[in-house]
Every structure is written in C-alpha cells, then in structure tokens.
Amino acid sequence: MPNRKLVTRRQALWLSLGTLTSIGAIATAKAGYESQQIESLDNSKRNFKVAAYTPLKKRAATKGIIYGAAIRRDLLQSNPKLAASFAQQCGILVPEWELKWNFLRPTPNRFDFTAGDWLAKFARTHGMLFRGHTLVWHEALPPWFKGVVNRQNAEKFLVEHIATVTKHYAGQVHSWDVVNEATKPGDKRSDGLRNSPWLKFLGPDYIELAFRVAAEKDPKALLVYNDTELEYDIPEHEATRSAILKLLERLKSRGTPIHAFGIQSHLWGHENRFNPKKLRKFLADVASLGLKILVTELDVRDKNLPKDLKLRDRVVAATYEDYLSVVLDEKAVIAVLTWGLSDRDSWISKYAPRSDGLAVRPLPFDSNLKPKLAWNAIARAFDRAPKR
Ligand code: G3I
C-alpha cells in the first residue's frame, strides 16, 4: 500500500525538519543551526535511483501520460541548449506568459499572436503537443483593462477575447486553461468564488459562458478549469477543494462543455501537512464527475529549506516523488507539466526567493541543465505509475 509508506516518509522527514526549527520560523536560517542539525535531517538513505536516463516524455508516454513544461519564447530563442533539452524531455509545451491577456492584447482593439505563434510552431516542429494558458484570469490583465472594461462591456470583451484566441489556435491546442483560479474561499462568498473583476462585472455565470465560447470555436481542445492552493491538509486548502468540487459539479450539472480539471501544484519542500488520503479522495471525486485531470504547474519551492545543496535537493526530490506517487495513482490524471524545466528560469526566483540569497532549486534541471534528483524523482514516479 504505497500511501502508508508515503505518510511515513513525509512524517519522518518532518520529524527531522522539526528538529531544525519551529514550524513558523523555519524560513529563517539561524546562524549555526545547520552544522549539527543537517545531520538530523537525514533522508540521505532514501534512494532516488533510476534504471536509465530515458527522457521524461518517453517514460511518461509508456504509461499513457504526457509530460511537459512551461516555457517562454525569449528563453528558447536565446538558449539553444535549453531548447534542445526541452525538445528531448517534453511531450507538451505550455507558454508561461505568451497567451495571457497582457501579451495578446497590447491595446483594446489589437491582438498580437507573434510570440504565441512562435511557441506553437516550436512545439509542432519538435513533435510536441501545445497547451493554452489562460483565457480567463484575474491576473496578467493589460494595463488598459482597468480603465476600459466595465459592467456594461465586460461580456463583449470576454466573449470576443475567448472567441478570437481559441479560433486563432483551433486545431493546434491539446488543452486550454479556459478559466484560471476562479475560487478563493477567503473572499467569503457562499459559493467560494473569487471576487475577480469578471465575477464583479458578470456574476458567477462568466465561467460557464467562457467554456461555451471556447467549445464553439475549438471543438477539439480539451477544456480545463485550472486552480491552485489546494494540495495540503490545511483549512484554507480544504475550503478550496470543496469550492472547486462545488463549481465543477455545478458546471457538469448544467451541461457545460468542461473536460478536465487542472491542479497547479506549486508545492513547498518544507511542508509536512500533505495528506495522501485526502488528496487522493479529492482527485477521485473530480474523476467521478467524468473529468480528466492534468497536473499543470508542478514545482517545489525550497525557500524554507536549509542551505545545504544536497539536502535541499533530496527534500525537493522527495516532495516530487511523494506527491506524484499519490496523484498518478489516479488514472484520470493524463498529464504532468512542471512550471519550467531549469532552475535558472523559474518564477520562484522572483516570487519566493531565499532569504540567504542562494539560488532556488525548484525544478528537474539545474541552471546548467544538468538533471537533478528532482528529475530522478519524477522519472521514478512515472516508472511506478499504473498504465492509463
Ligand atoms: O511584461 C514584462 C515584459 O515586457 C518583460 O520582458 C519582462 C522582463 O522581466 O517582464 C514582464 O513582466 C512579467 C510578466 O510575468 C509578464 O506577463 C513579470 O516580470 C513577471 O513577474 C510575470 O510573472 C508571471 C506571472 O504568472 C504573471 O503572469 C510568472 O512569470 C509566471 O510564472 C506566473 O505563472 C502563474 C500562472 O500563470 C498561474 N498560476 C500561478 C503561476 C505562478 O505565479
């Protein structure tokens, strides 16, 4: 029973981490704590061996799973080594920036598909699938949005945007994140939805509308509802999980053309409140609605872990493997994407940097594109996953 093993591993790890520092203060690496305490944080016996260095996309494909990553055009254009690794490892590409409103709509009346098209072509040229992220979100809106979009014209903007973009890429997209991060129980609405500009202007039905427009213009794409902050056994995440289930159930009961749920999974290396049973049950509940599941933005933040590189890499790798073992046990999970490939380019270096100034190490490849233990961990999870 793999789940029991997982709990034990995470708990053992946490027990050791707990000796390092208290939960709240774990972020601050107090001078001198490492030398003796790193020894107590010993998961060094954990084995991350893999039989061969077969690329992740191939290992995943053997099990009927798609592996890929988010990437930006500027990175692929400026770094041929990265482009080569990306093509070698990834079976699917998702633009990290280029299909968001602020990139696609420089002015209210002009669409610019240049960067998105370049990435779609890169994917095609290298035999990869292409994913769309994202048609409706409360972030990454263009600077003009606030002064232009209002209650009166919001529906026109939303429909026009989704129709234009999905039509432009129709037939080229494996899956679209139609709506992103629409829940936020902290906003205290009874339906758990986020008080986003779209909700304020259009009410909760903007979500259903978005899916209907996307389905009409690109009937081939898998239409996904994507969300975040729901992986752990803490009240906030529990509330998010139940808000999402409520939303998905409502959409399905109204015949909305929604095909999948995207679980982002920006994880934390230091977090011990990972409850395999609860996450597994949530995924089963989603699957029972007839939805596929994609892990859309996987990475592991190491902000609160000790300095020591080897130890840090081990904890990050363990987090990947423990998480993926649970998630891939659910056969409705058809894809795993990491949010980037190389540590050098991760959003985390800007949004969750380490207080000691050391480079973050959240992804499968290091800054020189060498595979890390995290790579092994992902490979091992694919190797052990049941076949779809
Ligand atoms: O717009 C400028 C651009 O002109 C310039 O070249 C660039 C140079 O740094 O900066 C650009 O702004 C960046 C912006 O993305 C582009 O839209 C910001 O610096 C950058 O911080 C910003 O962050 C991105 C964020 O989404 C907002 O779009 C992150 O890189 C990206 O990883 C993050 O991704 C989100 C997912 O979409 C949804 N889930 C959470 C995830 C992480 O926050």
Side-chain angles (χ1 to χ4, degrees), residues 96-97 100 102-103 133 137 140 180-181 264 266 297 339 347 350-351:
E96 185 178 355
W97 290 357
K100 292 173 179 173
N102 57 353
F103 264 72
H133 173 84
W137 194 24
N180 191 38
E181 301 172 11
Q264 292 188 10
H266 296 289
E297 305 184 15
W339 202 238
W347 70 289
K350 180 171 171 191
Y351 289 87

Side-chain angles (χ1 to χ4, degrees), residues 38-58:
I38 277 173
E39 283 150 41
S40 72
L41 182 64
D42 190 12
N43 69 339
S44 61
K45 292 199 184 83
R46 185 157 168 174
N47 177 3
F48 292 103
K49 279 192 191 134
V50 289
Y53 279 87
T54 311
L56 294 178
K57 71 172 176 192
K58 285 200 180 147

